[in-house]
Amino acid sequence: MREHILDVAEELFATRGYYGVSIRQITQAAGIDVALINYYFGKKLELFRAVFDRRTEILSNWRTEALNATKAEAGSPEQSLEEIIRAFLLPLKIAQESGDAGWHHYLALLAHVITSAEWNKQLLPKVLDRRVGEFIEALRDRFPHARDEDLHWCYQYISGTLALTLAQTGRIDRLSGGLCKSTDFATAYEKMIPFLAAGCRAICGQEAG
Amino acid sequence: MREHILDVAEELFATRGYYGVSIRQITQAAGIDVALINYYFGKKLELFRAVFDRRTEILSNWRTEALNATKAEAGSPEQSLEEIIRAFLLPLKIAQESGDAGWHHYLALLAHVITSAEWNKQLLPKVLDRRVGEFIEALRDRFPHARDEDLHWCYQYISGTLALTLAQTGRIDRLSGGLCKSTDFATAYEKMIPFLAAGCRAICGQEAG
DNA sequence: TTGTATATTCAACAAATGTTGAATATATTG
DNA sequence: CAATATATTCAACATTTGTTGAATATACAA
């Protein structure tokens, strides 16, 4: 039942945000009584956190594993810029390969959280922010002479590019006359890697051998 | 009075979204009676549209002007990729040079709209979507052999990068330990141009002479 | 001044909101 | 079976929500 509630709330929060969804809309969509939210999760805000936290920790761990895996395989700490970016864009791969609608909903919610000052501060520091350090360190290995400032701007640009894709707004469908699809994470992923890698190289100076 | 209400509503909507702000919060912050919203704008949704529309048309026109200006100056339809991107990133320049807090609030709201499936569909087609065609055509001039699909993905990546910066979430401040600032549009703008230009070149094939 | 259009206040409405305590049902364990 | 823990329902609460009609004030024109 807990999982069922989380699934339903996840989808609704993803499409309309925290304030745009009422407890009663959630319980109605889930086919349960209003009081059950309080029984399982307490306040509405705690439900929201539960929804967010459920997949955030999993995702964060997978990302770190993906980042470390390439180091191990190569037999040296060296890894290509593309591999580092690939690890960061892992959410796209997860959602695509799992075929789980829940992951798609969660990622749209994640996009909402990343682009909102309010939720950003409340939800990201706990888990996600801590892993960003690993990612930036990996970038640092690739660009030994880059300024810390530039690496962080790169991170923000990468994060923004990813976020808008995760949001699945349907805008690219409209603009391209159906040529591209918001839900086509596979294509978005493949094209994003060379795009972002080239961007990083353009502003981070000489790359390590 | 109309403008005063729009200013106050703009700031609140930008920070908490449409559903996160009540009519009474707006009127209280503006120091006016609740009924005045209805008197000047009608329903809450119409106020929201009014807030969004006020600067959207202005911004959209300026963008088109910026795009055309470089063509005229060069005396030929040719313009560099960087100039095209510069025109698209104009919002950053406007907010920075005007020093107007209102523009900053509006742009945060714009970021919210761009990354939300719901508001995206309701607010963007009317004005902003129509201008995107001009931008993509300009890209097409630069990359005559690129596939339409790739140009649209480029657009989405550029749009996402811009959107997260417009959102001014304060995350880069936190992650960089204060080294970078969300509100520093000037730096974000300067670094974004080479970053995005390199990204486009990486996936759009041979550039026009 | 009077008359009129515009602006603002006041009070209230029905509906929706988050939350909770008590009652009831179901499952689990002895 | 009985006893106990877990799960679910029911009904209600105090607030807050968007919206509106009527009353009042202010500005402006004749």
Side-chain angles (χ1 to χ4, degrees):
Chain A
M1 176 54 68
R2 259 186 76 97
E3 295 299 307
H4 176 56
I5 295 175
L6 288 175
D7 288 342
V8 173
E10 184 174 58
E11 178 165 11
L12 288 174
F13 282 141
T15 53
R16 315 234 315 162
Y18 177 75
Y19 300 110
V21 180
S22 73
I23 296 270
R24 282 178 171 80
Q25 284 173 342
I26 296 171
T27 54
Q28 197 168 332
I32 59 173
D33 192 273
V34 228
L36 277 184
I37 299 286
N38 193 271
Y39 178 72
Y40 283 104
F41 301 97
K43 316 278 184 192
K44 182 187 180 186
L45 186 58
E46 298 177 72
L47 167 63
F48 190 62
R49 299 189 100 99
V51 167
F52 184 74
D53 289 344
R54 177 170 61 155
R55 299 192 203 259
T56 295
E57 199 130 1
I58 301 173
L59 170 62
S60 185
N61 288 336
W62 283 350
R63 254 183 180 164
T64 297
E65 284 170 24
L67 197 58
N68 294 335
T70 56
K71 287 187 198 169
E73 276 175 20
S76 81
E78 303 286 340
Q79 52 193 159
S80 82
L81 178 58
E82 278 77 2
E83 280 168 343
I84 296 171
I85 291 173
R86 208 180 289 270
F88 190 76
L89 301 185
L90 189 68
L92 293 169
K93 216 165 165 258
I94 290 176
Q96 169 215 335
E97 292 181 357
S98 74
D100 181 356
W103 271 107
H104 274 87
H105 299 147
Y106 163 79
L107 292 175
L109 178 60
L110 177 60
H112 177 71
V113 169
I114 286 177
T115 55
S116 147
E118 181 181 15
W119 298 115
N120 197 311
K121 282 194 239 308
Q122 289 203 40
L123 301 177
L124 292 189
K126 184 177 162 192
V127 176
L128 282 185
D129 278 6
R130 299 171 51 191
R131 306 293 183 126
V132 172
E134 303 168 0
F135 179 72
I136 300 217
E137 274 173 34
L139 282 183
R140 156 69 61 210
D141 287 345
R142 284 285 85 206
F143 300 105
H145 309 303
R147 305 189 328 183
D148 250 39
E149 203 185 324
D150 289 343
L151 294 176
H152 281 92
W153 282 113
C154 273
Y155 172 79
Q156 157 147 316
Y157 299 159
I158 294 171
S159 182
T161 304
L162 175 59
L164 184 58
T165 297
L166 296 182
Q168 306 162 77
T169 64
R171 190 172 189 222
I172 197 176
D173 309 56
R174 209 169 58 227
L175 293 174
S176 71
L179 206 62
C180 307
K181 304 211 180 305
S182 269
T183 50
D184 181 9
F185 281 5
T187 304
Y189 177 75
E190 288 305 329
K191 294 197 186 301
M192 213 181 279
I193 293 165
F195 184 95
L196 296 175
C200 289
R201 291 190 175 104
I203 69 178
C204 284
Q206 184 60 40
E207 196 173 356
Chain B
M1 176 55 66
R2 259 186 76 95
E3 295 299 306
H4 176 55
I5 295 175
L6 288 174
D7 288 341
V8 173
E10 185 173 58
E11 177 165 10
L12 288 174
F13 282 142
T15 54
R16 315 236 311 161
Y18 177 75
Y19 301 110
V21 180
S22 73
I23 297 272
R24 282 177 173 81
Q25 283 172 341
I26 296 171
T27 54
Q28 197 167 332
I32 59 173
D33 191 273
V34 229
L36 278 184
I37 298 284
N38 192 270
Y39 178 72
Y40 282 104
F41 301 97
K43 316 278 184 192
K44 182 187 179 187
L45 186 58
E46 298 177 72
L47 167 62
F48 190 62
R49 299 190 100 100
V51 167
F52 184 75
D53 289 344
R54 177 170 60 156
R55 297 193 204 259
T56 295
E57 200 129 3
I58 300 173
L59 170 62
S60 185
N61 289 336
W62 283 350
R63 255 183 179 165
T64 297
E65 284 170 23
L67 197 58
N68 294 336
T70 57
K71 288 188 200 168
E73 277 174 20
S76 81
E78 303 286 341
Q79 51 193 162
S80 82
L81 177 58
E82 277 78 3
E83 279 168 342
I84 297 171
I85 292 173
R86 208 180 289 270
F88 190 75
L89 301 186
L90 189 69
L92 293 168
K93 215 163 165 259
I94 289 175
Q96 168 215 336
E97 291 181 357
S98 75
D100 181 357
W103 271 108
H104 274 86
H105 299 149
Y106 163 78
L107 291 176
L109 177 60
L110 177 60
H112 178 72
V113 169
I114 287 177
T115 55
S116 148
E118 180 181 15
W119 298 115
N120 196 311
K121 282 194 239 306
Q122 289 203 39
L123 301 177
L124 293 189
K126 184 178 163 192
V127 176
L128 282 186
D129 278 6
R130 300 172 51 191
R131 305 294 185 128
V132 172
E134 303 168 1
F135 179 71
I136 300 215
E137 274 174 35
L139 282 182
R140 156 70 59 209
D141 287 343
R142 285 283 86 207
F143 300 104
H145 308 302
R147 304 189 327 182
D148 250 38
E149 201 186 324
D150 290 343
L151 294 177
H152 281 92
W153 282 113
C154 273
Y155 173 78
Q156 158 147 314
Y157 299 158
I158 293 171
S159 181
T161 303
L162 175 60
L164 184 58
T165 297
L166 296 181
Q168 305 162 77
T169 64
R171 190 170 189 222
I172 196 175
D173 310 56
R174 209 169 58 227
L175 293 173
S176 71
L179 206 62
C180 307
K181 303 210 180 306
S182 269
T183 50
D184 180 10
F185 281 5
T187 303
Y189 177 74
E190 288 305 331
K191 295 197 186 298
M192 212 181 281
I193 293 165
F195 184 95
L196 296 175
C200 290
R201 289 189 175 106
I203 68 178
C204 285
Q206 183 61 39
E207 195 172 356

